[in-house]
Amino acid sequence: MTPALEVVDLVKHFGPVRAVDGVSLRVGSGEVVGLVGESGSGKSTLGRCVTRLVPVTSGEVRINGRDIARLSRRAVRPLRRDFTIVFQDPASSLNPRMTVAEIVAEPLRLHRIGTPSERRERVLDQLDQVGLRPEVARRYPHELSGGQRQRVSLARALVASPSLLVADEPTSALDVSVQASVLNLISRLQAELGFACLFITHDLAAVEFVAQRVAVMYLGKLVEVAEREQLFRAPLHPYTQALLSAAPIPDPVAQRNRQRIVLSGDIPSPVDPPSGCRFHTRCPVAVPRCSVEVPPLRQVAGSLVACHLADGSPQ
Ligand code: SF4
């Protein structure tokens, strides 16, 4: 089956900044893949390349089998019906001068879907689907709470039934109390509507909740891609191990007893990434060859891992 998204050797440089440096990743039809990493890992840039909000430097971005990486903005426009993005901060991504009804109807209007009355009906259905009452349709974004605004963003993103949703830190700007309800909503909508989703976040708990597979990014490259259970139970890459060891876990006994791997220093600059394995300057188990040889992303125990030591091979 053709994947909803297939990224092949994607590179995105902003001048000297090597934000994304050769990433290949697939999201199957109806699958949710979590993309995690610290800020500065390049994960949001990848999301923007996939949705062609920024042009790519090289590589392919196949949406349902069609490479959109080199199409002009104009040629991409009609295809946008099939892939959408929601951002971290709904306040800045919603037009403040439009009512909720106008905002949610916009993709239908742009893609000439339905008559005006069919669109009105569709908008009300869509608001209902994201848990908003019909009277919200007449309001403006500033009259809504952060959680309601993110629900409006989701309604707008999903109104034209896309096959791929890129969600870029969709809950990070929200109060902790509403994060869970928005996460639940995304998960429920995905199960009901069956769209594929690339869920970008630094929040491992969120990814564990929504994703079936997880890709871990460090300094412009993927370091591990694994099924969710495998990744959370037995992470293979030292960076994934460090990320997981730093994440809070609900069981206080387990929290007290586990070993925390503390990474030294900040993520290095993508202008001049370290040689060899990019993680070697912070890796607690690095060996001499790590600063010289780039570890390829390869199959180890059913996962993809970019580490010389992942399969216990000799140093
Ligand atoms: Fe650490 Fe070396 Fe593996 Fe990189 S290749 S993660 S530096 S052990």
Side-chain angles (χ1 to χ4, degrees):
M1 198 170 183
T2 312
L5 170 68
E6 187 165 25
V7 172
V8 184
D9 207 12
L10 188 78
V11 173
K12 175 62 189 173
H13 293 174
F14 295 98
V17 179
R18 294 152 71 171
V20 178
D21 224 1
V23 166
S24 296
L25 181 68
R26 287 166 159 246
V27 180
S29 167
E31 186 186 31
V32 183
V33 174
L35 180 63
V36 297
E38 292 164 286
S39 100
S41 62
K43 58 190 192 307
S44 286
T45 301
L46 182 64
R48 275 151 214 259
C49 287
V50 160
T51 45
R52 278 297 308 270
L53 294 178
V54 293
V56 308
T57 304
S58 64
E60 292 176 15
V61 175
R62 298 182 172 277
I63 308 257
N64 297 314
R66 176 160 186 190
D67 184 11
I68 62 160
R70 260 163 296 282
L71 296 181
S72 66
R73 284 176 85 94
R74 202 191 157 110
V76 170
R77 214 171 292 145
L79 307 177
R80 290 198 172 277
R81 178 180 174 171
D82 217 23
F83 58 93
T84 48
I85 185 165
V86 288
F87 297 100
Q88 174 172 1
D89 182 7
S92 61
S93 60
L94 300 178
N95 187 333
R97 284 178 294 279
M98 287 166 85
T99 64
V100 167
E102 288 165 343
I103 289 168
V104 176
E106 202 182 22
L108 300 176
R109 204 170 44 73
L110 291 176
H111 297 294
R112 302 204 172 103
I113 300 168
T115 62
S117 76
E118 284 166 345
R119 285 179 208 155
R120 271 195 294 279
E121 208 171 306
R122 180 84 188 90
V123 166
L124 291 178
D125 279 354
Q126 193 64 31
L127 290 179
D128 182 54
Q129 205 161 34
V130 299
L132 292 172
R133 300 167 68 86
E135 51 268 31
V136 173
R138 292 191 296 275
R139 304 223 179 110
Y140 288 87
H142 74 268
E143 298 175 286
L144 307 176
S145 69
Q148 286 175 320
R149 280 197 289 262
Q150 198 53 299
R151 285 170 193 265
V152 171
S153 301
L154 277 166
R156 181 187 192 282
L158 298 174
V159 74
S161 308
S163 60
L164 174 70
L165 173 72
V166 175
D168 185 6
E169 300 271 13
T171 58
S172 306
L174 304 175
D175 286 349
V176 175
S177 56
V178 291
Q179 283 183 3
S181 64
V182 171
L183 208 54
N184 265 314
L185 174 67
I186 294 173
S187 182
R188 177 172 64 72
L189 290 171
Q190 195 278 328
E192 279 172 21
L193 305 173
F195 51 85
C197 180
L198 181 65
F199 190 93
I200 301 170
T201 184
H202 67 281
D203 180 352
L204 287 162
V207 124
E208 189 172 16
F209 182 70
V210 297
Q212 290 138 24
R213 271 191 316 129
V214 184
V216 182
M217 200 163 171
Y218 185 78
L219 212 51
K221 285 188 176 293
L222 291 183
V223 296
E224 183 162 1
V225 183
E227 298 291 327
R228 173 187 53 194
E229 286 74 21
Q230 165 71 25
L231 187 114
F232 282 91
R233 189 171 33 82
L236 294 174
H237 195 282
Y239 178 58
T240 318
Q241 291 165 356
L243 281 184
L244 285 176
S245 85
I249 37 180
D251 177 349
V253 179
Q255 172 89 31
R256 236 178 291 127
N257 291 342
R258 75 158 162 199
Q259 278 231 314
R260 176 135 191 223
I261 305 168
V262 181
L263 292 180
S264 55
D266 290 332
I267 190 163
S269 163
V271 173
D272 186 18
S275 58
C277 173
R278 291 187 174 186
F279 187 53
H280 85 260
T281 53
R282 299 168 83 196
C283 180
V285 293
V287 292
R289 95 186 247 218
C290 299
S291 59
V292 188
E293 269 178 61
V294 178
L297 195 63
R298 64 202 163 105
Q299 285 275 354
V300 178
S303 302
L304 290 172
V305 192
C307 171
H308 295 309
L309 309 186
D311 58 358
S313 62
Q315 303 170 5

